[in-house]
Amino acid sequence: MSIRTFSVWRGDKNGGRFVEYQVEVEEGMVVLDAIHQIQRTQAHDLACRWNCKAAKCGSCSAEVNGRPRLMCKTRLDALPVGEMVRIQPLQTFPIIRDLVTDVSWNYQVNKKIPPFAPRPDASWVMLQQDVNRAQEFRKCIECFLCQNVCHVLREHERKSEFFGPRFFVRIASLQMHPMDSLDRLPLLKNEAGLGLCNITKCCTEVCPEDIHITDNAIIPLKERVVDRYYDPIQILLRKIKGEKASHAGGK
Amino acid sequence: MNEKYETHEHDVIVIGAGGAGLRAAIECSALGAKTALICKSLLGKAHTVMAEGGVAAALAHVDAQDSWRTHFQDTLFGGKYLNNWRMAELHAREAPERVRELERWGAVFDRTPDGKILQRAFGGHTYRRLAHVGDRTGLELIRTLQDKGVHQGIDVFMECTITKLLKDGERVCGAFGYWRETGRFVVYKAKAVVLATGGIGKCYKITSNSWESTGDGHALGYEAGAELVDMEFVQFHPTGMVWPPGVMGLLVTEAVRGEGGILRNNQGERFMEKYDPKRMDLSTRDVVARAIYTEVKEGRGSPHGGCFLDISHRKAPYIRQKLPSMYHQFKELADVDITKEPMEVGPTSHYTMGGIKVDADTGASTVPGLYAAGECTGGVNGANRLGGNSLSDLLVFGRRAGAGAAEYANRAAPPRIDQTQVENAAGEMIGFFDRPGAADPYKLHVDLQNTMQNLAGIFREEKDLTMAVARLEDLQRRAAHVGVVEGQRMYNPGWHLCRDLHNMLICSQAIVRAALLRKESRGAHSRLDFPKYDEYWGEHNIVIKKEPDGMKVQARPVVKVAELIPLVDEKKAKETK
Ligand SMILES: Cc1cc2nc3c(=O)[nH]c(=O)nc-3n(C[C@H](O)[C@H](O)[C@H](O)COP(=O)(O)OP(=O)(O)OC[C@H]3O[C@@H](n4cnc5c(N)ncnc54)[C@H](O)[C@@H]3O)c2cc1C
Ligand code: SF4
Ligand code: SF4
Ligand code: FES
């Protein structure tokens, strides 16, 4: 057992500062354990979110030593020994208190995405290989770490024009669902602002669920948008065959 | 009425946004009721999200012989025949349709080679029955319901904790709570209320449950006059992580054994041969938990006080595909590669069979206007729940309670809020700030958890339980002095815990008092001083109710269904062979 120092951001929307705490560290401890210990013994009112303690619910997102992470999945022995552990809330969202931020914007965005709508003729026979991709996207635990790092949201604050990687993943999961019938490409091109993403892949790097956000969701969606709106042959085909047929072929 | 506090008015409010609450709210709102959904965490983070192994439904996709009858029989055998038969019947009959419905709402389950929903084996289920998505079935379930719900116009109130049900004479007419973010109070006026608050795991030290599982619904219902049933039955899941200390209790899904995982002691023996040679590693949870406990106690445990669970004989890519989150959980949290080496596991408090007593068909409690569904109810599982039967329970009875509440709201008179009740509820919460030299709620919580863990755990006996009663009384006295040591009303977990303790104490008392009364061993309830089944108790549930002079504990005959007797007798005959 050893003692480590944690520097935790304390404050609210009016401002705050880093406060240092000494914590007795046991083998195998994660950052969330340390936060809980501080809460139990030194700062009863230290605010943080958590639920599962097993990287399944996406509640405990924070920035640990400057890197967005799930606190319940970040082992202390994986952080540089002898150095202070610095913990602060996600920077892209408005602060509520201490490590808790206001992520309600994400819930509003989700509401704008037309939900799953099965084809009238859906047979519900789906092979595993046909659903693998949708399943990859459905692994998302809504930790919003990807939203937190994406520069379009973080540095440029374009929340009103850009849904962010989490919701491209969500749209991809619907578009690539074998039984879905809706066309969300106009939404992607316009309101969702897919074009603002310049494929930096920062989102993919932080995803705790190892979803290949850029390669498997964003890039294929971008390709579909390009095919639809900018490819002259596709446009012509669509004119001849009618909108629906060409769309179904693209599924 | 003078509205001093923020007030919302709905036909139905649903308290809890796990599988049960979401399914209830969807049904309510589909039936035209103006519906609110209230939860302590963010939407989509409820305990249900953690469910791993699957949802039990006799779809018969993998084993064609399966049927609702066999599912019903398995559920009763698992519950040691104390289940509410009608609930078990509805559950088994309707689960397949609820799972198919989930698929039509966009859930993507793992597939059979011919493109249907795949099903896996689980303890106590005769056939391969659990529809699943790898080992993240709960996430799939909650996300599907969440997306269905928010697009259906349900009003969602996140990070809001209900502390009191409000009553208008005999009937329930709303609820009082606080916003976690601001600490401000809020009043919900409603014609009907559905409780769907989940479990009580936080009463125990070692648990697979999250901070939310403080038995709020059990306590809210109890205090509003509803009956609780089967509270003595707390399920200890046989396989929780035992190391490192920070993750002690974290669940290791039964799907590991469903996919072929083998339990061994430190001698390398497959000890389940001694305890249940027929079902072996996939015996019911009560049996496996006791077996592991006994092996450890008798000195055949693993280095960190558990036993070994080994799946490494399966091919590595298969393990990673079928149990991805277990693979990561052990790799990242315990430095164990489960494709190469065994895991160390031991029992963890996991689920409560006991809860609010409800009408099987409508989810109505004994209080007019109050409905309940999911883990906070009792009945469907009897003395022990089979894995996978909870997720199906949430869907089947969430839907039924939602419909029940909507229908009640349809014919109910407008609710009248009694301002005195509101002020009392507000006063209680404010009171935690006016306690100079307040006692530390975190300390009290640790003491409570130790009491329950040590004196009302897997094995129980008279002297421990009697001591537990006394300790709980003492804790109750101390709870009157806990208060806020630090901070204000904004997002203050120390303050919240002060109130949560109240609920955990009620649940703990109910558990201990019922456990004391049941002088036999059955399902999840094992008495060292009464190790056998008892004929009388095999026919009786224990019902708990709040009376003016305190908690009343009483035996009541099991609810049976005449037409199902042949099915039950057939199962009994088979199992005694
Ligand atoms: C790790 C783990 C794995 C599991 N795996 C499986 C499995 O594979 N198959 C299976 O069938 N079962 C499984 N279970 C059991 C199952 O997940 C739970 O029993 C079930 O999810 C409970 O659902 P629920 O809807 O009743 O409540 P929960 O999902 O617990 O939701 C409770 C809701 O109530 C809210 N709430 C509580 N109190 C209040 C209050 N005072 N005010 C406002 N809101 C409140 C919470 O915020 C939350 O939204 C598992 C359980 C665990 C812990
Ligand atoms: S790849 Fe696109 S979405 Fe992802 S972080 Fe970069 S800009 Fe944002
Ligand atoms: S895509 Fe990954 S990083 Fe983004 S919210 Fe989902 S799980 Fe988190
Ligand atoms: S607590 Fe659930 S992801 Fe960390």
Side-chain angles (χ1 to χ4, degrees):
Chain A
M1 223 178 261
S2 65
I3 304 274
R4 284 191 79 159
T5 307
F6 290 79
S7 174
V8 183
W9 195 86
R10 304 290 315 266
D12 55 32
K13 63 174 188 291
N14 302 315
R17 62 193 175 90
F18 283 91
V19 180
E20 285 180 20
Y21 301 95
Q22 311 282 318
V23 174
E24 254 181 43
V25 178
E26 287 179 349
E27 209 184 342
M29 242 167 102
V30 294
V31 171
L32 186 62
D33 293 323
I35 292 290
H36 280 157
Q37 200 180 309
I38 295 170
Q39 213 176 43
R40 213 164 36 236
T41 56
Q42 306 179 48
H44 283 187
D45 63 332
L46 170 57
C48 79
R49 286 199 183 102
W50 71 282
N51 280 67
C52 68
K53 244 188 137 280
K56 290 196 173 75
C57 72
S59 303
C60 64
S61 308
E63 299 191 3
V64 179
N65 290 346
R67 219 183 122 73
R69 286 169 164 286
L70 296 178
M71 291 193 284
C72 69
K73 207 182 159 185
T74 308
R75 290 266 297 254
L76 293 176
D77 48 20
L79 302 172
V81 208
E83 277 175 36
M84 190 146 70
V85 183
R86 203 176 156 87
I87 309 165
Q88 60 183 338
L90 299 183
Q91 298 297 296
T92 301
F93 304 109
I95 190 81
I96 291 177
R97 194 159 171 266
D98 301 342
L99 302 177
V100 177
T101 56
D102 178 359
V103 292
S104 58
W105 171 76
N106 293 288
Y107 287 87
Q108 287 154 20
V109 171
N110 193 34
K111 259 192 165 171
K112 294 184 193 158
I113 302 172
F116 177 69
R119 303 201 305 248
D121 63 338
S123 63
W124 305 107
V125 174
M126 299 183 270
L127 298 181
Q128 187 62 44
Q129 66 259 32
D130 298 333
V131 298
N132 279 340
R133 198 35 54 83
Q135 284 191 332
E136 176 190 353
F137 302 143
R138 295 181 67 87
K139 284 195 308 190
C140 169
I141 57 175
E142 300 210 316
C143 64
F144 305 131
L145 291 177
C146 57
Q147 303 286 78
N148 182 55
V149 289
C150 175
H151 67 102
V152 182
L153 299 169
R154 190 179 176 112
E155 271 108 51
H156 308 290
E157 298 197 27
R158 297 173 81 161
K159 290 204 182 81
S160 58
E161 321 157 55
F162 187 67
F163 282 8
R166 154 60 189 136
F167 296 102
F168 298 140
V169 167
R170 163 118 187 93
I171 295 173
S173 81
L174 293 163
Q175 291 299 108
M176 297 179 202
H177 189 304
M179 296 294 148
D180 183 65
S181 64
L182 294 185
D183 173 11
R184 298 174 189 81
L185 293 189
L187 175 79
L188 277 170
K189 178 170 180 288
N190 303 312
E191 210 183 345
L194 183 64
L196 290 173
C197 160
N198 54 350
I199 323 189
T200 58
K201 299 202 181 183
C202 312
C203 49
T204 306
E205 269 168 40
V206 298
C207 178
E209 284 294 309
D210 295 320
I211 300 172
H212 294 91
I213 304 177
T214 10
D215 289 350
N216 292 349
I218 295 181
I219 295 176
L221 289 177
K222 277 180 176 274
E223 283 168 359
R224 288 181 188 197
V225 170
V226 168
D227 284 352
R228 166 77 58 83
Y229 293 98
Y230 307 103
D231 180 343
I233 297 174
Q234 286 287 332
I235 293 170
L236 192 68
L237 272 178
R238 226 176 15 250
K239 283 223 174 96
I240 299 166
K241 292 204 256 170
E243 190 83 18
K244 268 268 151 59
S246 129
H247 169 63
K251 268 244 150 205
Chain B
M1 187 182 84
N2 128 34
E3 286 181 359
K4 184 163 153 198
Y5 305 111
E6 175 186 343
T7 300
H8 299 275
E9 189 161 351
H10 289 87
D11 294 322
V12 180
I13 60 169
V14 179
I15 306 173
L22 276 161
R23 189 62 190 82
I26 289 171
E27 196 65 15
C28 263
S29 107
L31 291 171
K34 186 174 182 230
T35 307
L37 181 64
I38 307 165
C39 52
K40 292 203 280 192
S41 287
L42 295 172
L43 190 60
K45 312 293 185 194
H47 207 77
T48 300
V49 81
M50 298 164 66
E52 294 163 357
V55 38
L59 294 159
H61 286 173
V62 178
D63 291 319
Q65 315 90 303
D66 201 6
S67 71
W68 76 264
R69 288 181 193 82
T70 318
H71 192 183
F72 169 79
Q73 289 177 323
D74 289 345
T75 302
L76 256 77
F77 176 71
K80 299 295 166 241
Y81 306 105
L82 283 192
N83 321 55
N84 174 322
W85 290 20
R86 175 68 178 156
M87 279 180 97
E89 177 196 3
L90 288 172
H91 169 252
R93 276 184 191 270
E94 294 178 4
E97 186 47 29
R98 296 283 78 74
V99 170
R100 279 191 286 267
E101 171 181 80
L102 220 50
E103 180 167 72
R104 291 195 295 272
W105 292 350
V108 185
F109 290 99
D110 286 356
R111 316 307 295 175
T112 62
D114 57 348
K116 293 192 269 186
I117 296 173
L118 182 61
Q119 298 178 276
R120 67 160 49 117
F122 239 57
H125 292 282
T126 303
Y127 299 111
R128 282 169 288 182
R129 191 175 281 147
L130 269 71
H132 60 277
V133 187
D135 51 7
R136 57 162 191 85
T137 313
L139 172 65
E140 190 67 19
L141 189 138
I142 206 164
R143 204 65 85 227
T144 304
L145 293 176
Q146 182 184 345
D147 283 318
K148 174 84 184 161
V150 294
H151 287 98
Q152 207 177 277
I154 296 166
D155 295 330
V156 181
F157 299 86
M158 308 196 278
E159 300 203 300
C160 180
T161 303
I162 297 298
T163 62
K164 211 66 197 189
L165 295 180
L166 303 172
K167 288 184 78 177
D168 175 0
E170 278 306 298
R171 75 182 268 223
V172 162
C173 64
F176 173 92
Y178 62 86
W179 289 106
R180 293 167 57 77
E181 179 180 334
T182 57
R184 290 220 190 87
F185 298 139
V186 49
V187 174
Y188 296 93
K189 247 169 119 168
K191 293 182 186 153
V193 175
V194 181
L195 291 170
T197 52
I200 55 103
K202 279 287 150 184
C203 297
Y204 286 85
K205 181 172 154 213
I206 301 175
T207 176
S208 63
N209 290 188
S210 85
W211 67 270
E212 293 198 305
S213 303
T214 48
D216 295 5
H218 291 78
L220 289 168
Y222 170 81
E223 296 208 299
E227 291 179 341
L228 304 179
V229 66
D230 295 338
M231 290 301 287
E232 66 275 32
F233 298 112
V234 176
Q235 179 166 78
F236 288 83
H237 194 292
T239 61
M241 287 177 84
V242 294
W243 192 90
V247 298
M248 194 188 282
L250 207 64
L251 193 72
V252 179
T253 174
E254 188 167 323
V256 175
R257 283 171 289 138
E259 298 293 347
I262 292 169
L263 293 163
R264 289 206 175 82
N265 61 20
N266 67 10
Q267 315 286 305
E269 294 160 346
R270 290 192 69 172
F271 57 83
M272 283 312 296
E273 274 165 9
K274 283 184 290 189
Y275 301 91
D276 186 352
K278 193 161 147 204
R279 294 187 178 76
M280 293 291 286
D281 305 278
L282 282 177
S283 180
T284 52
R285 288 179 176 175
D286 51 335
V287 176
V288 183
R290 280 193 295 269
I292 296 175
Y293 185 92
T294 308
E295 290 298 303
V296 175
K297 197 145 194 182
E298 293 176 358
R300 293 184 296 276
S302 65
H304 298 100
C307 71
F308 296 105
L309 172 60
D310 195 0
I311 181 89
S312 63
H313 51 281
R314 288 284 206 159
K315 292 214 168 62
Y318 183 81
I319 296 172
R320 280 197 296 267
Q321 190 214 334
K322 285 313 224 176
L323 303 163
S325 69
M326 284 305 106
Y327 173 76
H328 288 289
Q329 188 170 309
F330 274 90
K331 187 111 199 156
E332 279 150 25
L333 299 176
D335 297 320
V336 168
D337 181 347
I338 68 168
T339 66
K340 300 208 178 81
E341 42 189 331
M343 299 158 245
E344 268 189 73
V345 295
T348 179
S349 137
H350 181 60
Y351 183 87
T352 167
M353 273 65 74
I356 298 159
K357 195 167 173 303
V358 290
D359 171 57
D361 291 76
T362 62
S365 75
T366 45
V367 178
L370 183 62
Y371 293 73
E375 192 173 340
C376 70
T377 64
V380 67
N381 295 302
N384 174 50
R385 173 179 72 95
L386 298 183
N389 269 3
S390 172
L391 293 185
S392 42
D393 162 17
L394 309 182
L395 297 171
V396 169
F397 295 106
R399 174 178 156 277
R400 284 187 164 270
E407 176 162 330
Y408 178 91
N410 236 339
R411 51 190 161 80
R416 276 177 324 193
I417 299 282
D418 169 10
Q419 207 54 32
T420 326
Q421 292 176 33
V422 172
E423 285 310 325
N424 288 343
E428 180 191 15
M429 289 309 296
I430 297 284
F432 295 116
F433 286 95
D434 309 328
R435 298 210 176 131
D440 178 347
Y442 290 91
K443 270 212 185 86
L444 194 76
H445 190 199
V446 170
D447 292 348
L448 171 63
Q449 291 181 319
N450 283 329
T451 302
M452 292 304 286
Q453 189 77 33
N454 300 333
L455 303 177
I458 297 186
F459 284 105
R460 300 153 172 193
E461 57 185 319
E462 179 104 19
K463 74 172 180 7
D464 285 355
L465 292 167
T466 317
M467 197 189 297
V469 171
R471 292 249 177 104
L472 289 174
E473 279 168 8
D474 181 50
L475 289 167
Q476 185 85 53
R477 275 189 293 274
R478 283 171 55 198
H481 303 285
V482 296
V484 179
V485 181
E486 226 169 331
Q488 303 301 317
R489 279 166 69 175
M490 268 177 72
Y491 223 109
N492 186 343
W495 181 40
H496 305 161
L497 181 59
C498 290
R499 185 56 180 68
D500 296 344
L501 280 170
H502 175 85
N503 297 334
M504 286 186 274
L505 277 163
I506 291 177
C507 294
S508 300
Q509 262 156 14
I511 292 167
V512 169
R513 301 274 309 269
L516 203 49
L517 186 60
R518 182 170 289 280
K519 293 186 173 34
E520 66 156 354
S521 292
R522 180 177 300 272
H525 173 69
S526 309
R527 290 275 304 247
L528 290 168
D529 43 355
F530 298 97
K532 294 218 171 65
Y533 287 130
D534 176 276
E535 214 175 302
Y536 172 83
W537 285 115
E539 297 286 334
H540 289 81
N541 299 101
I542 292 177
V543 175
I544 290 181
K545 190 168 187 293
K546 184 175 176 173
E547 296 286 355
D549 53 346
M551 189 177 272
K552 189 169 144 214
V553 186
Q554 147 194 64
R556 203 173 297 164
V558 171
V559 186
K560 297 186 179 176
V561 177
E563 299 86 83
L564 296 170
I565 290 175
L567 274 181
V568 175
D569 288 348
E570 182 191 70
K571 182 70 176 175
K572 281 186 177 161
K574 206 186 275 169
E575 291 300 334
T576 41
K577 241 191 267 161

